[in-house]
């Protein structure tokens, strides 16, 4: 089975992606990243039913553009954000041990 399916494309301004084996954690995170990209008018996700292991992500843009490239950009940005958060966590723990222990 494919991990990501493109379900619906409407006039190159709206796309619905279906992710298998993903849920609210990834959906909310990628939605947050995508909504901060200027050309994206709307990004939202839903998990249709708890017993189904899928997450739908809808992207609507202001202009006709390749939504797959936007999704890839969002995933790259989220990866960079994760690295920054990880580095911040490590520095916080190191500083805690340095000053309090």
């Amino acid at each position: 089975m494919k991990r990501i399916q493109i379900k619906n494309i409407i006039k190159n301004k709206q796309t619905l992606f279906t992710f298998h084996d993903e849920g609210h954690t990834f959906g909310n995170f990628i939605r947050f990243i995508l909504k901060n990209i200027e050309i994206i008018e709307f990004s939202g996700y839903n998990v249709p039913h708890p017993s189904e292991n899928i997450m739908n992500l809808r992207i609507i843009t202001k202009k006709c553009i390749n939504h797959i490239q936007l999704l890839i950009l969002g995933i790259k940005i989220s990866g960079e954000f994760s690295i920054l958060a990880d580095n911040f966590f490590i520095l916080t723990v190191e500083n805690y041990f340095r000053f309090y222990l």
Side-chain angles (χ1 to χ4, degrees):
M1 179 189 310
K2 294 180 181 179
R3 181 119 165 119
I4 301 173
Q5 293 176 330
I6 302 171
K7 282 214 173 172
N8 199 3
I9 298 175
I10 301 172
K11 299 179 185 174
N12 289 333
K13 285 188 166 189
Q14 182 172 322
T15 304
L16 179 67
F17 297 94
T18 299
F19 292 82
H20 296 273
D21 298 325
E22 292 295 346
H24 289 286
T25 303
F26 177 71
N28 194 37
F29 188 59
I30 197 68
R31 177 203 57 83
F32 175 78
I33 297 295
L34 289 172
K35 78 174 189 144
N36 291 308
I37 297 174
E38 189 174 316
I39 196 165
I40 294 179
E41 188 173 342
F42 173 82
S43 65
Y45 81 97
N46 75 333
V47 176
H49 193 273
S51 66
E52 293 181 86
N53 204 14
I54 63 172
M55 183 269 299
N56 296 314
L57 175 71
R58 183 175 307 275
I59 298 174
I60 301 173
T61 55
K62 298 173 185 175
K63 299 178 183 177
C64 294
I65 193 164
N66 186 336
H67 291 160
I68 296 171
Q69 289 180 344
L70 284 175
L71 179 61
I72 291 169
L73 175 64
I75 292 171
K76 284 181 181 179
I77 292 170
S78 67
E80 292 169 4
F81 181 78
S82 296
I83 291 169
L84 287 173
D86 187 46
N87 289 342
F88 178 76
F89 176 76
I90 290 169
L91 287 173
T92 302
V93 170
E94 288 173 352
N95 286 335
Y96 175 81
F97 284 120
R98 188 178 313 137
F99 293 116
Y100 296 108
L101 296 179

